[in-house]
Amino acid sequence: LGCISSSRPTWSSKREWKPLEDRSCTDIPWLLLFVLFCIGMGFICGFSVATGAAARLVSGYDSYGNICGQRNAKLEAIANSGLDHTHRKYVFFLDPCNLDLINRKIKSMALCVAACPRQELKTLSDVQKFAEINGSALCSYNIKPSEYTLTAKSSAFCPKLPVPASAPIPFFHRCAPVNISCYAKFAEALITFVSDNSVLHRLISGVMTSKEIILGLCLLSLVLSMILMVIIRYISRVLVWILTILVILGSLGGTGVLWWLYAKQRRSPKETVIPEQLQIAEDNLRALLIYAISATVFTVILFLIMLVMRKRVALTIALFHVAGKVFIHLPLLVFQPFWTFFALVLFWAYWIMTLLFLGTTGSAVQNEQGFVEYKISGPLQYMWWYHVVGLIWISEFILACQQMTVAGAVVTYYFTRDKRNLPFTPILASVNRLIRYHLGTVAKGSFIITLVKIPRMILMYIHSQLKGKENACARCMLKSCICCLWCLEKCLSYLNQNAYTATAINSTNFCTSAKDAFVILVENALRVAAINTVGDFMLFLGKVLIVCSTGLAGIMLLNYQQDYTVWVLPLIIVCLFAFLVAHCFLSIYEMVVDVLFLCFAIDTKYNDGSPGREFYMDKVLMEFVENSRKAMKEAGKGGAADARELKRRFPSIPTCHLGKTVCSHLHCKRNQVLQPVTGNR
C-alpha cells in the first residue's frame, strides 16, 4: 500500500492543520476487514458456480431437474430425471403467462425442447404437426406426439392453447412469447398506472419507435449539464441575488395578499341570515387570519435570516466562482461521474448475476406438484443477507472513493500557492494517494452509512408488508423511524464527506478527521447554513432547468412523431435520465464547493497573512476577506458580531495591517504570494 513511517507526535484537539506535508496509511484494520468481506462475496459467487448454478441459469432446466443441452445424471426418487437433452437446448413453459407474483416466477411445468414455436399453435393437431416436422415435442416426455390428440392427459401435460408464438432469449435459452401482452398482469403489479393491456402495448411500442429521439434527448441533457457547470461560474453572483430577492418578494407578496383577503372579507356586509352560512363565513375568516399571521411570522423570520446571512451569501458566491476555476485547472473532474457510474454498473452487473446464480443453487427438492426445485439448507441459506449487505457497503465504498478523489484533487489545488506547480494530473495523483494510503478510511466511512441504511431498508420492507394491516399508531411510528434514519443518514453522509477532506489534508484516520472537520463546521455554522441553503437551492434549480429544457425539447420532437399516440413513457424515461445526469454533474460541483469551504475555513483559522503564515486562498476569496474587513471598520462603533468574528480570526494583525496585507495579495500576479506588509501604518 505504500505506507510510510511517520514520527508525528499525537496532536491534541488544538493542533494546527498541516496540509499535504506528509502521508501515512489510515484505518488499516478497516481495510483488512473490507478485503475479507470482499473475499466472502467472491466465495458466494464461486460457491454458486461450483454447485452447477451457472449451467442451470444459462442453459435452463426442466421441471425434473434436467439441464437442457446436455446429458444429465439420475436424481434419486425423481421421475423423468437423468435424461439426455443434448439436442434439446431450449426451455419451454406449458403456460408461460401463469405468473406467481409473490415468488416472482412462472408457475408452470417446464420442458426441454429442440425448438421454440415461432408461430401460434391453436389446436393440439397443430402441436402434433409441429412435433412431427421440427422434432420438438411440446408435451410431457411420457406422451408420444402421435398420442397428443388421443390421450386424456393432454389437458394437464400439454401446453395451454393457444400456444403463443415465442423466440429464445439470447444467451439464456428460454422460449419467451413474442407478444408480451400476456405479462400485462405482472406489469400492472409493478406499474400501478397501467390498467389495460392495450395501454401497456402502446407505451412499449412508443418507446421502441422513438428510441432514436430518446437517445438524442439523453445526449442533449448531458451537453446541457456540462454547459450549465461553465455558466454557473460567470452568473453565480447575479443568480444568487435574484433568487434571494425573489424569495423575499414572494413571501412579502403572499403575506400581503392574505392580509388583503382577510380585510376584504371582514369589511364585506353579512347579508345572509342562514346560521350555517354565517358559521362557514366566520370559519373562513378565522382561517384567513391564522394563515395571514403564520405567513407574517414566516416572512419576518425569513427576512431576519436573510439579514443575518447576507454577508455569508457573498462567501457562497465567491466559492461558486472559485469552483469554476477549479474545473478549468482540473478538467478531468468533469469526467469523474462517468468513472463512478461505470464502476457501479460493473459491480451491479456482477451482483445481479451472482443473485441469479444463488436462485438456482442448492440441492434438488421435490415440491407438492412433483417438480424439482433447488433450495439451500443449513447456514448457507443466509448467504442472501450477506449478499445484500455487500450490495450496500460496496456501492457506498465506490461513491466514497469518488468523494475522496475529488477532495484530494481540490485540496491539492487550494493549498498549492503557485498553480503552475500543480501536478500534471491532480485527479490521478489523488487516486494514487487514495489507493496507497486511505482505502481503509473510505471503507470505514462507507460502513457507517451501511449501518444506517440497513435498518431503514428493513423498516421500509416491514412497512410495505404491513400496509393496510397495522393501526394508525404503528404506521406513524414506522414512518417516524424511517424519517429519522433518513435524516441521520444524510447528516452522516455530509460529515463523512468533510472527514474525507480532512483526511486528504492531514492524512489522519477517519475518527480524527471527522472530529476535526466537525469542529470547523460548528465554528462556521452560519456560513455552512448559507452554503447548504443558497448553494443547494441554486443547484436544485439548475437540475430543474435541465429537466424542463430536455422535456420541452422532447415534446417538440415527439410532436412530429406520428407512429404512436402515447408519449408518457418516452418522456418519463428522458426526464429521469436528464435528472440523473444533472444530479451527477452538479453533485460534483456541490462537492467541490464544500471542499473549498472547508479549506477556506481552515485557511482563515490558522493563517493571518503575516510572514510565514500567508493565505492560500484565491484572489476572489481575498476580496471577500477585504470586504469583511471594511464591514468590520464600518460596524466598529456598534460592535457587530461580524467584526468580532473577523477580529477573532486575525488577532495578531492590526486592522490597517490586515488591509495592506490583503491588498498586497490582491495584486499578486499569476497567483504568486508577495511578502506581506510589515509594521503598523
Side-chain angles (χ1 to χ4, degrees), residues 146-188:
S146 59
E147 300 175 352
Y148 285 178
T149 58
L150 303 176
T151 179
K153 297 180 180 179
S154 300
S155 60
F157 295 97
C158 283
K160 182 179 178 181
L161 299 175
V163 180
S166 59
I169 300 175
F171 307 110
F172 288 98
H173 303 89
R174 268 79 166 176
C175 295
V178 176
N179 185 2
I180 62 174
S181 61
C182 72
Y183 293 138
K185 182 180 178 181
F186 183 71
E188 290 173 17

Side-chain angles (χ1 to χ4, degrees), residues 463-525:
H463 182 264
S464 64
Q465 294 297 313
L466 297 179
K467 184 173 292 185
K469 299 178 182 178
E470 78 278 17
N471 56 34
C473 181
R475 183 168 58 252
C476 181
M477 290 182 62
L478 274 176
K479 290 184 177 180
S480 299
C481 292
I482 293 172
C483 181
C484 291
L485 288 174
W486 181 84
C487 295
L488 178 61
E489 178 187 336
K490 294 302 177 183
C491 293
L492 288 176
S493 297
Y494 182 73
L495 183 60
N496 278 11
Q497 180 179 326
N498 287 279
Y500 299 147
T501 303
T503 299
I505 295 174
N506 274 335
S507 190
T508 50
N509 59 43
F510 179 82
C511 291
T512 303
S513 299
K515 181 191 68 174
D516 295 341
F518 181 76
V519 171
I520 294 292
L521 295 176
V522 170
E523 291 177 351
N524 297 268

Side-chain angles (χ1 to χ4, degrees), residues 624-635:
F624 169 78
V625 174
E626 171 67 9
N627 293 333
S628 299
R629 184 195 65 81
K630 292 179 180 178
M632 180 185 67
K633 293 178 63 177
E634 295 174 358

Side-chain angles (χ1 to χ4, degrees), residues 183-221:
Y183 293 138
K185 182 180 178 181
F186 183 71
E188 290 173 17
L190 299 178
I191 309 173
T192 57
F193 65 83
V194 175
S195 58
D196 188 350
N197 292 356
S198 60
V199 174
L200 177 65
H201 181 73
R202 292 200 305 271
L203 289 174
I204 296 176
S205 64
V207 173
M208 298 305 297
T209 307
S210 61
K211 55 182 180 295
E212 293 85 3
I213 295 178
I214 293 176
L215 291 176
L217 291 173
C218 292
L219 181 61
L220 175 64
S221 65

Side-chain angles (χ1 to χ4, degrees), residues 409-425:
V410 177
V411 164
T412 301
Y413 170 84
Y414 188 95
F415 289 106
T416 301
R417 297 187 187 278
D418 188 354
K419 306 308 179 189
R420 295 176 301 177
N421 294 331
L422 285 171
F424 177 68
T425 52

Side-chain angles (χ1 to χ4, degrees), residues 30 33 37 388-394 396-397 442-459 481 484-486 488-490 492-493 496 510:
W30 281 94
L33 178 63
F37 184 85
V388 171
V389 173
L391 171 66
I392 302 174
W393 191 2
I394 297 179
E396 290 295 329
F397 178 83
V442 171
K444 186 175 183 179
S446 57
F447 180 76
I448 292 175
I449 301 298
T450 304
L451 286 182
V452 180
K453 273 196 170 184
I454 291 177
R456 184 168 67 88
M457 295 178 65
I458 292 175
L459 290 178
C481 292
C484 291
L485 288 174
W486 181 84
L488 178 61
E489 178 187 336
K490 294 302 177 183
L492 288 176
S493 297
N496 278 11
F510 179 82

